[in-house]
Amino acid sequence: MEINLVSDTVTKPTQEMLRAMFKAEVGDDVYKQDPTVIELEARVAKMFGMEAALFFPSGTMANQTAIKLHTQPGEQLIADKYAHVYNYEGGGASFNSGVSCCLLNGNRGMISAEQVAGAINDPEFYHSPLTSLVCVENTTNKGGGACYDFEEFKKIRKVCDDNNLKFHLDGARIWNALVATKDNPVAYGKVFHTISVCLSKGLGAPIGSLLLSDKATIHRALRVRKILGGGMRQVGYLAAAGIYALDNNIERLADDHRRAKEIGAVLEKLNWVEKVEPVETNILIFSVQPNINEAVLMEKLKQKNISISSMGHGKLRIVTHLDYREVMHTYVLETLEKL
Ligand SMILES: *Cc1c(COP(=O)(O)O)cnc(C)c1O
């Protein structure tokens, strides 16, 4: 029994998901003739109260497209210092869009309207880059799966409107946030100009993300996706996995959240653990006492068939997911207690 708690991207399609994929009706999606992709796009757009959606091969490409749509070279976006768009997209903001990032020191990856307001460059002061976009993440990845209070989004949107900025949500784990907070997804469509969502994280599809917005913006996104090489042909086979995931794998995220919390509760009691960050969803970040070597700890766990990841500086990360089942969970709790 190999237990991989490194990421929620390690899940493999189940037989049922594969069957749904095999049965998909497909067409050439570059000509917008794939009925399964069209169905998925319409469904996700509607779910978030947006006019339109576009299927992407990765969340990175969906985010990078959003940045391209909302900025001109030389401009600046505002994000938390932990933001995926800044840390984990290969420098794409500068490579693809020629923009710099103004990074804020947020709380567990979350920034406030007040911080945003203070970070906007005066548009008349032409010596500084023109601020044009604010990007937030929900849940936060490097911030440990934290969920925003929806009221903060409304406040940030107000600051954006007052300053002529666009507002993008990196919603790679928006499903986890929705399950944990019981927020209404339709409200998200009102507050953001664009939203990216992933099907390949907690939902367990092998590939796929979508970018959501109004019709005109999604029409522009089609060209950017083409330029980035993201136009795919009979991709309905993958969209079918996404539809299956939306039907079957959203509510069960609550199990992932419960298991992460239970692991957190066990870690709290262990004397070699220094601190466990609050667990809100499926990501758990903890630090070990200074006398504990994290590489040795990870190796010990590996010998017991449990893989977790290091974030450096004595911090470690555990992510629960669809393929982490109850039997594995029982074993992990016992193993940690005895370690
Ligand atoms: C995983 C992730 C993405 C997208 O990653 P891809 O691997 O490109 O699909 C974007 N944002 C966050 C916060 C993520 O965790």
Side-chain angles (χ1 to χ4, degrees):
M1 189 162 69
E2 280 295 329
I3 302 174
N4 189 337
L5 297 171
V6 169
S7 171
D8 47 8
T9 54
V10 301
T11 58
K12 293 176 189 166
T14 57
Q15 287 304 318
E16 293 75 22
M17 183 181 275
L18 286 170
R19 262 199 293 279
M21 294 169 74
F22 271 120
K23 282 197 308 208
E25 219 187 298
V26 297
D28 188 336
D29 185 53
V30 172
Y31 289 108
K32 290 266 125 212
Q33 287 168 353
D34 188 303
T36 310
V37 175
I38 290 169
E39 181 191 336
L40 173 68
E41 288 173 344
R43 178 163 168 182
V44 179
K46 183 161 179 250
M47 197 173 166
F48 288 87
M50 286 285 205
E51 281 176 8
L54 193 63
F55 190 68
F56 280 82
S58 71
T60 297
M61 198 188 282
N63 283 335
Q64 289 300 317
T65 296
I67 294 170
K68 187 72 195 165
L69 290 170
H70 299 314
T71 61
Q72 293 297 322
E75 295 180 354
Q76 190 165 73
L77 67 80
I78 294 174
D80 184 87
K81 64 182 185 299
Y82 286 164
H84 195 277
V85 294
Y86 173 74
N87 289 288
Y88 303 124
E89 300 191 1
S94 54
F95 189 98
N96 298 312
S97 301
V99 300
S100 56
C101 298
C102 173
L103 300 176
L104 300 179
N105 189 19
N107 171 27
R108 304 180 67 218
M110 299 182 291
I111 55 179
S112 68
E114 202 181 340
Q115 283 180 304
V116 171
I120 300 167
N121 291 329
D122 175 359
E124 295 305 318
F125 189 71
Y126 57 83
H127 310 277
S128 300
L130 184 70
T131 310
S132 47
L133 172 64
V134 177
C135 295
V136 293
E137 232 170 87
N138 204 26
T139 68
T140 62
N141 176 345
K142 208 177 173 186
C147 303
Y148 271 87
D149 174 357
F150 194 81
E151 289 305 309
E152 201 60 41
F153 289 147
K154 289 196 205 161
K155 289 183 198 160
I156 298 175
R157 174 59 189 254
K158 173 83 172 54
V159 171
C160 289
D161 286 347
D162 292 347
N163 292 278
N164 201 22
L165 313 180
K166 291 293 195 295
F167 194 20
H168 172 68
L169 170 66
D170 175 350
R173 293 191 182 78
I174 188 64
W175 322 103
N176 297 86
L178 291 172
V179 165
T181 61
K182 306 199 165 58
D183 283 343
N184 178 2
V186 172
Y188 278 76
K190 293 201 174 66
V191 105
F192 292 101
H193 294 100
T194 48
I195 300 175
S196 64
V197 303
C198 280
L199 303 166
S200 56
K201 295 269 166 79
L203 292 198
I207 290 177
S209 285
L210 295 104
L211 184 68
L212 325 179
S213 191
D214 58 75
K215 270 195 188 129
T217 304
I218 291 301
H219 186 68
R220 289 201 295 134
L222 195 56
R223 181 183 293 271
V224 177
R225 188 185 72 175
K226 178 73 198 182
I227 292 167
L228 296 176
M232 299 180 285
R233 303 293 178 177
Q234 285 71 29
V235 73
Y237 292 116
L238 297 175
I243 292 170
Y244 179 88
L246 292 174
D247 284 336
N248 296 282
N249 294 345
I250 295 181
E251 276 156 41
R252 63 149 306 283
L253 291 171
D255 294 334
D256 297 345
H257 300 176
R258 171 182 55 81
R259 289 177 189 137
K261 283 182 186 140
E262 286 171 358
I263 297 172
V266 165
L267 289 173
E268 293 261 7
K269 289 186 288 188
L270 302 174
N271 58 12
W272 48 270
V273 173
E274 184 177 64
K275 182 167 183 248
V276 182
E277 301 280 338
V279 186
E280 292 181 49
T281 55
N282 70 326
I283 303 176
L284 184 155
I285 294 174
F286 67 102
S287 50
V288 287
Q289 298 290 358
N291 61 330
I292 304 284
N293 181 323
E294 48 183 280
V296 173
L297 172 69
M298 281 169 62
E299 186 47 39
K300 266 191 168 175
L301 286 169
K302 186 81 202 130
Q303 279 164 11
K304 303 199 181 298
N305 296 320
I306 302 168
S307 302
I308 69 170
S309 59
S310 163
M311 303 178 74
H313 313 288
K315 275 191 181 177
L316 295 142
R317 189 178 87 155
I318 286 175
V319 187
T320 58
H321 52 74
L322 184 59
D323 289 1
Y324 175 61
R325 297 184 306 273
E326 200 62 31
V327 276
M328 299 176 174
H329 182 54
T330 309
Y331 169 79
V332 166
L333 295 181
E334 281 171 13
T335 307
L336 284 172
E337 271 170 344
K338 282 187 291 200
L339 205 67

